[in-house]
Amino acid sequence: MPRPTAAQLSYGSVTVVFSTLAMLLLFRTSSGIGIAVVGTVALALGLAVSVTVPAKSRRYTAKTAGTRAPVSAHRGTAPAARDEDRSRVSASNLS
C-alpha cells in the first residue's frame, strides 16, 4: 500500500476537525457517548476524504517525464540564409 501524500493527510485532518466541530455544535450533545459517536463519525469521514483525494501515480509521472523534449531557442537558420546557401551549393556544382 502506498504512503499517503501531504494533500491526503491535510485534507483528511481538516475534515476531521471541522466535521467534529460542526456536528458538536449541530447536535448540542454533552454526553460522553454522544461525543464518542461524533468523534467516530468524524474520523470515518476524514478517512473517506483522504482516500478519495487522488494521489499522483508513479506510472503517470514516469510516463510524462520521459516524453518531455528539451526546448531550444534556436529553431534553425533564417529563410534568407538558406536561400543563400542553396545558391552557393548550386554554383559550386556548376564548376
Side-chain angles (χ1 to χ4, degrees):
M1 183 171 171
R3 299 177 114 184
T5 62
Q8 290 173 320
L9 290 174
S10 61
Y11 286 155
S13 300
V14 168
T15 301
V16 169
V17 169
F18 284 128
S19 63
T20 301
L21 289 175
M23 285 188 281
L24 286 175
L25 291 174
L26 182 67
F27 297 135
R28 297 182 189 251
T29 184
S30 59
S31 68
I33 294 174
I35 294 172
V37 168
V38 166
T40 304
V41 170
L43 285 174
L45 185 61
L47 180 64
V49 167
S50 66
V51 168
T52 58
V53 172
K56 288 185 180 179
S57 67
R58 289 184 180 186
R59 181 183 67 165
Y60 178 73
T61 55
K63 183 178 179 183
T64 58
T67 59
R68 292 187 181 151
V71 177
S72 174
H74 189 299
R75 293 186 176 246
T77 58
R82 281 185 274 168
D83 291 338
E84 187 178 284
D85 289 340
R86 280 190 215 141
S87 63
R88 281 189 215 154
V89 169
S90 62
S92 65
N93 288 340
L94 293 175
S95 33

